[in-house]
PDB file of all heavy atoms in Angstrom:
ATOM      1  N   ARG I 181      17.464   5.894  -2.449  1.00 98.00           N
ATOM      2  CA  ARG I 181      17.790   7.268  -2.518  1.00 98.00           C
ATOM      3  C   ARG I 181      17.836   7.757  -1.178  1.00 98.00           C
ATOM      4  O   ARG I 181      18.870   8.564  -0.772  1.00 98.00           O
ATOM      5  CB  ARG I 181      16.782   8.135  -3.337  1.00 98.00           C
ATOM      6  CG  ARG I 181      16.981   8.174  -4.876  1.00 98.00           C
ATOM      7  CD  ARG I 181      17.324   6.791  -5.457  1.00 98.00           C
ATOM      8  NE  ARG I 181      17.488   6.845  -6.838  1.00 98.00           N
ATOM      9  CZ  ARG I 181      16.594   6.779  -7.811  1.00 98.00           C
ATOM     10  NH1 ARG I 181      15.306   6.528  -7.410  1.00 98.00           N
ATOM     11  NH2 ARG I 181      16.821   6.876  -9.051  1.00 98.00           N
ATOM     12  N   HIS I 269      21.251   2.063 -12.891  1.00 98.00           N
ATOM     13  CA  HIS I 269      20.883   2.383 -11.481  1.00 98.00           C
ATOM     14  C   HIS I 269      21.624   1.374 -10.592  1.00 98.00           C
ATOM     15  O   HIS I 269      21.232   1.010  -9.555  1.00 98.00           O
ATOM     16  CB  HIS I 269      19.445   2.191 -11.146  1.00 98.00           C
ATOM     17  CG  HIS I 269      18.538   3.276 -11.827  1.00 98.00           C
ATOM     18  ND1 HIS I 269      18.279   4.485 -11.294  1.00 98.00           N
ATOM     19  CD2 HIS I 269      17.873   3.317 -12.983  1.00 98.00           C
ATOM     20  CE1 HIS I 269      17.566   5.161 -11.951  1.00 98.00           C
ATOM     21  NE2 HIS I 269      17.191   4.484 -13.028  1.00 98.00           N
ATOM     22  N   VAL I 295      20.056  10.263 -13.088  1.00 97.00           N
ATOM     23  CA  VAL I 295      19.832   8.973 -13.422  1.00 97.00           C
ATOM     24  C   VAL I 295      20.530   8.703 -14.739  1.00 97.00           C
ATOM     25  O   VAL I 295      20.878   9.531 -15.549  1.00 97.00           O
ATOM     26  CB  VAL I 295      18.247   8.682 -13.410  1.00 97.00           C
ATOM     27  CG1 VAL I 295      17.580   8.909 -12.195  1.00 97.00           C
ATOM     28  CG2 VAL I 295      17.672   9.409 -14.554  1.00 97.00           C
ATOM     29  N   ASP I 332      15.254  -0.249 -15.670  1.00 98.00           N
ATOM     30  CA  ASP I 332      14.814   1.085 -16.192  1.00 98.00           C
ATOM     31  C   ASP I 332      15.969   1.973 -16.495  1.00 98.00           C
ATOM     32  O   ASP I 332      17.037   1.877 -15.902  1.00 98.00           O
ATOM     33  CB  ASP I 332      13.837   1.810 -15.303  1.00 98.00           C
ATOM     34  CG  ASP I 332      14.594   1.785 -13.833  1.00 98.00           C
ATOM     35  OD1 ASP I 332      15.057   0.812 -13.394  1.00 98.00           O
ATOM     36  OD2 ASP I 332      14.633   3.159 -13.312  1.00 98.00           O
ATOM     37  N   GLU I 333      15.801   2.970 -17.432  1.00 98.00           N
ATOM     38  CA  GLU I 333      16.820   4.180 -17.691  1.00 98.00           C
ATOM     39  C   GLU I 333      18.215   3.524 -17.736  1.00 98.00           C
ATOM     40  O   GLU I 333      19.171   4.125 -17.182  1.00 98.00           O
ATOM     41  CB  GLU I 333      16.596   4.922 -16.570  1.00 98.00           C
ATOM     42  CG  GLU I 333      15.281   5.814 -16.502  1.00 98.00           C
ATOM     43  CD  GLU I 333      15.164   6.749 -15.377  1.00 98.00           C
ATOM     44  OE1 GLU I 333      15.733   6.492 -14.266  1.00 98.00           O
ATOM     45  OE2 GLU I 333      14.581   7.770 -15.621  1.00 98.00           O
ATOM     46  N   TRP I 363      10.652  -3.024 -15.184  1.00 98.00           N
ATOM     47  CA  TRP I 363       9.934  -1.801 -15.618  1.00 98.00           C
ATOM     48  C   TRP I 363       9.712  -1.966 -17.110  1.00 98.00           C
ATOM     49  O   TRP I 363      10.288  -2.868 -17.807  1.00 98.00           O
ATOM     50  CB  TRP I 363      10.815  -0.643 -15.318  1.00 98.00           C
ATOM     51  CG  TRP I 363      11.047  -0.378 -13.864  1.00 98.00           C
ATOM     52  CD1 TRP I 363      12.147  -0.686 -13.032  1.00 98.00           C
ATOM     53  CD2 TRP I 363       9.955   0.117 -12.945  1.00 98.00           C
ATOM     54  NE1 TRP I 363      11.792  -0.309 -11.783  1.00 98.00           N
ATOM     55  CE2 TRP I 363      10.706   0.179 -11.618  1.00 98.00           C
ATOM     56  CE3 TRP I 363       8.644   0.655 -13.081  1.00 98.00           C
ATOM     57  CZ2 TRP I 363       9.953   0.656 -10.472  1.00 98.00           C
ATOM     58  CZ3 TRP I 363       7.995   1.042 -11.926  1.00 98.00           C
ATOM     59  CH2 TRP I 363       8.715   1.040 -10.579  1.00 98.00           C
ATOM     60  N   TRP I 380       5.534   2.370 -16.565  1.00 98.00           N
ATOM     61  CA  TRP I 380       5.694   3.596 -15.834  1.00 98.00           C
ATOM     62  C   TRP I 380       5.777   4.831 -16.795  1.00 98.00           C
ATOM     63  O   TRP I 380       5.376   5.922 -16.375  1.00 98.00           O
ATOM     64  CB  TRP I 380       7.040   3.465 -14.786  1.00 98.00           C
ATOM     65  CG  TRP I 380       8.335   3.368 -15.551  1.00 98.00           C
ATOM     66  CD1 TRP I 380       8.803   2.388 -16.300  1.00 98.00           C
ATOM     67  CD2 TRP I 380       9.278   4.674 -15.763  1.00 98.00           C
ATOM     68  NE1 TRP I 380      10.041   2.749 -16.927  1.00 98.00           N
ATOM     69  CE2 TRP I 380      10.222   4.070 -16.531  1.00 98.00           C
ATOM     70  CE3 TRP I 380       9.141   5.913 -15.334  1.00 98.00           C
ATOM     71  CZ2 TRP I 380      11.383   4.900 -16.953  1.00 98.00           C
ATOM     72  CZ3 TRP I 380      10.293   6.737 -15.726  1.00 98.00           C
ATOM     73  CH2 TRP I 380      11.341   6.150 -16.469  1.00 98.00           C
ATOM     74  N   TYR I 405       2.505   8.351  -9.647  1.00 99.00           N
ATOM     75  CA  TYR I 405       3.895   8.567  -8.965  1.00 99.00           C
ATOM     76  C   TYR I 405       3.731   9.482  -7.716  1.00 99.00           C
ATOM     77  O   TYR I 405       3.363  10.620  -7.737  1.00 99.00           O
ATOM     78  CB  TYR I 405       5.014   9.142  -9.945  1.00 99.00           C
ATOM     79  CG  TYR I 405       5.806   8.016 -10.570  1.00 99.00           C
ATOM     80  CD1 TYR I 405       5.233   6.652 -10.818  1.00 99.00           C
ATOM     81  CD2 TYR I 405       7.078   8.136 -10.979  1.00 99.00           C
ATOM     82  CE1 TYR I 405       6.031   5.773 -11.398  1.00 99.00           C
ATOM     83  CE2 TYR I 405       7.808   7.223 -11.546  1.00 99.00           C
ATOM     84  CZ  TYR I 405       7.285   5.997 -11.733  1.00 99.00           C
ATOM     85  OH  TYR I 405       8.116   5.057 -12.375  1.00 99.00           O
ATOM     86  N   ASP I 407       5.794  10.571  -5.714  1.00 98.00           N
ATOM     87  CA  ASP I 407       6.776  11.643  -5.484  1.00 98.00           C
ATOM     88  C   ASP I 407       6.561  12.813  -6.311  1.00 98.00           C
ATOM     89  O   ASP I 407       7.240  13.808  -6.260  1.00 98.00           O
ATOM     90  CB  ASP I 407       8.285  11.012  -5.773  1.00 98.00           C
ATOM     91  CG  ASP I 407       8.385  10.575  -7.224  1.00 98.00           C
ATOM     92  OD1 ASP I 407       7.527  10.051  -7.796  1.00 98.00           O
ATOM     93  OD2 ASP I 407       9.479  10.907  -7.783  1.00 98.00           O
ATOM     94  N   MET I 408       5.446  12.723  -7.111  1.00 99.00           N
ATOM     95  CA  MET I 408       5.116  14.007  -7.881  1.00 99.00           C
ATOM     96  C   MET I 408       4.526  15.031  -6.973  1.00 99.00           C
ATOM     97  O   MET I 408       3.722  14.632  -6.068  1.00 99.00           O
ATOM     98  CB  MET I 408       4.126  13.691  -9.100  1.00 99.00           C
ATOM     99  CG  MET I 408       4.715  12.839 -10.091  1.00 99.00           C
ATOM    100  SD  MET I 408       6.212  13.628 -10.891  1.00 99.00           S
ATOM    101  CE  MET I 408       7.441  12.563 -10.390  1.00 99.00           C
ATOM    102  N   LEU I 418       8.752  15.984  -6.920  1.00 98.00           N
ATOM    103  CA  LEU I 418       9.243  16.440  -8.185  1.00 98.00           C
ATOM    104  C   LEU I 418       8.081  16.648  -9.140  1.00 98.00           C
ATOM    105  O   LEU I 418       6.912  16.440  -8.711  1.00 98.00           O
ATOM    106  CB  LEU I 418      10.193  15.242  -8.922  1.00 98.00           C
ATOM    107  CG  LEU I 418      11.250  14.755  -8.114  1.00 98.00           C
ATOM    108  CD1 LEU I 418      11.919  13.420  -8.723  1.00 98.00           C
ATOM    109  CD2 LEU I 418      12.292  15.822  -7.922  1.00 98.00           C
ATOM    110  N   TRP I 420       8.545  16.301 -12.902  1.00 98.00           N
ATOM    111  CA  TRP I 420       8.999  15.867 -14.398  1.00 98.00           C
ATOM    112  C   TRP I 420       7.951  15.135 -15.163  1.00 98.00           C
ATOM    113  O   TRP I 420       7.644  15.471 -16.389  1.00 98.00           O
ATOM    114  CB  TRP I 420      10.273  15.033 -14.402  1.00 98.00           C
ATOM    115  CG  TRP I 420       9.975  13.697 -13.806  1.00 98.00           C
ATOM    116  CD1 TRP I 420      10.269  13.267 -12.479  1.00 98.00           C
ATOM    117  CD2 TRP I 420       9.491  12.470 -14.519  1.00 98.00           C
ATOM    118  NE1 TRP I 420       9.968  11.952 -12.308  1.00 98.00           N
ATOM    119  CE2 TRP I 420       9.545  11.488 -13.523  1.00 98.00           C
ATOM    120  CE3 TRP I 420       9.232  12.228 -15.788  1.00 98.00           C
ATOM    121  CZ2 TRP I 420       9.107  10.174 -13.847  1.00 98.00           C
ATOM    122  CZ3 TRP I 420       8.730  10.968 -16.097  1.00 98.00           C
ATOM    123  CH2 TRP I 420       8.684   9.951 -15.142  1.00 98.00           C
ATOM    124  N   TRP I 454       9.152   7.390  -4.989  1.00 98.00           N
ATOM    125  CA  TRP I 454      10.636   7.534  -5.206  1.00 98.00           C
ATOM    126  C   TRP I 454      11.069   8.557  -4.070  1.00 98.00           C
ATOM    127  O   TRP I 454      10.381   9.615  -3.770  1.00 98.00           O
ATOM    128  CB  TRP I 454      11.004   8.082  -6.634  1.00 98.00           C
ATOM    129  CG  TRP I 454      10.560   6.934  -7.583  1.00 98.00           C
ATOM    130  CD1 TRP I 454       9.450   7.103  -8.491  1.00 98.00           C
ATOM    131  CD2 TRP I 454      11.094   5.814  -7.890  1.00 98.00           C
ATOM    132  NE1 TRP I 454       9.318   5.952  -9.177  1.00 98.00           N
ATOM    133  CE2 TRP I 454      10.397   5.177  -8.899  1.00 98.00           C
ATOM    134  CE3 TRP I 454      12.381   5.168  -7.457  1.00 98.00           C
ATOM    135  CZ2 TRP I 454      10.800   3.970  -9.500  1.00 98.00           C
ATOM    136  CZ3 TRP I 454      12.744   3.887  -7.952  1.00 98.00           C
ATOM    137  CH2 TRP I 454      11.962   3.309  -8.945  1.00 98.00           C
ATOM    138  N   GLU I 456      14.013  10.676  -3.753  1.00 98.00           N
ATOM    139  CA  GLU I 456      15.055  11.744  -4.005  1.00 98.00           C
ATOM    140  C   GLU I 456      14.829  12.886  -2.937  1.00 98.00           C
ATOM    141  O   GLU I 456      15.708  13.373  -2.401  1.00 98.00           O
ATOM    142  CB  GLU I 456      14.974  12.290  -5.405  1.00 98.00           C
ATOM    143  CG  GLU I 456      15.636  11.380  -6.512  1.00 98.00           C
ATOM    144  CD  GLU I 456      14.802  10.383  -7.201  1.00 98.00           C
ATOM    145  OE1 GLU I 456      13.788   9.977  -6.578  1.00 98.00           O
ATOM    146  OE2 GLU I 456      15.255   9.900  -8.239  1.00 98.00           O
TER     147      GLU I 456
HETATM  148  N1  LIG W   1      12.314   7.546 -12.849  1.00 69.85           N
HETATM  149  C1  LIG W   1      13.325   6.604 -12.310  1.00 69.85           C
HETATM  150  C2  LIG W   1      13.303   6.377 -10.806  1.00 69.85           C
HETATM  151  C3  LIG W   1      13.157   7.773 -10.118  1.00 69.85           C
HETATM  152  C4  LIG W   1      11.954   8.434 -10.698  1.00 69.85           C
HETATM  153  C5  LIG W   1      11.644   9.891  -9.891  1.00 69.85           C
HETATM  154  C6  LIG W   1      11.525   4.931 -12.747  1.00 69.85           C
HETATM  155  C7  LIG W   1      11.207   3.531 -13.268  1.00 69.85           C
HETATM  156  C8  LIG W   1      12.165   8.840 -12.166  1.00 69.85           C
HETATM  157  N2  LIG W   1      12.824   5.255 -12.867  1.00 69.85           N
HETATM  158  O1  LIG W   1      10.669   5.645 -12.372  1.00 69.85           O
HETATM  159  O2  LIG W   1      14.522   5.921 -10.328  1.00 69.85           O
HETATM  160  O3  LIG W   1      14.331   8.540 -10.263  1.00 69.85           O
HETATM  161  O4  LIG W   1      10.425  10.277 -10.130  1.00 69.85           O
END
Side-chain angles (χ1 to χ4, degrees):
R181 276 48 182 270
H269 288 277
V295 297
D332 61 306
E333 296 180 322
W363 297 104
W380 69 282
Y405 267 28
D407 62 318
M408 292 301 116
L418 305 173
W420 65 268
W454 299 102
E456 282 92 338

